[in-house]
């Protein structure tokens, strides 16, 4: 008996589309990856992807929550955020 495998091409992951604003100072267009935060930050996620907040500075440590696409939030305790 022969098993058939389905192979799909794998391309680079697409970044979020839109803008990510941090403290009304930094603007990241079509962001992807890990971004630092200050002790208390205002995050305005005007992308099509949720961001994940982390307690560590390099998107490590405890996952503290998410900010949905189109939402904004004042973060306290988060030191970084990640967009796939």
């Amino acid at each position: 008996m022969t098993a058939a495998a389905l192979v799909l091409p794998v391309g680079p992951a697409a970044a979020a589309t839109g803008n990510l604003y941090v403290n009304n100072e930094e603007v990241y267009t079509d962001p992807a990856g890990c971004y630092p935060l200050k002790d208390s930050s205002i995050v305005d996620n005007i992308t099509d992807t949720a961001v994940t907040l982390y307690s560590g500075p390099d998107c490590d440590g405890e996952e503290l929550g998410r900010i949905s696409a189109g939402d904004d939030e004042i973060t306290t305790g988060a030191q970084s955020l990640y967009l796939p």
Side-chain angles (χ1 to χ4, degrees):
M1 183 177 270
T2 304
L6 175 62
V7 179
L8 299 174
V10 177
T17 300
N19 291 317
L20 177 69
Y21 298 90
V22 178
N23 295 320
N24 296 320
E25 298 170 359
E26 296 125 311
V27 179
Y28 304 102
T29 300
D30 299 337
C34 187
Y35 295 89
L37 296 174
K38 297 177 182 172
D39 290 335
S40 180
S41 295
I42 301 167
V43 177
D44 196 2
N45 180 16
I46 310 300
T47 71
D48 59 355
T49 305
V51 301
T52 304
L53 302 169
Y54 288 94
S55 62
D58 298 314
C59 294
D60 56 1
E62 184 180 347
E63 183 179 313
L64 299 177
R66 293 177 187 247
I67 302 174
S68 298
D71 284 347
D72 59 75
E73 187 173 314
I74 298 173
T75 64
T76 304
Q79 292 187 26
S80 58
L81 62 80
Y82 177 78
L83 285 102

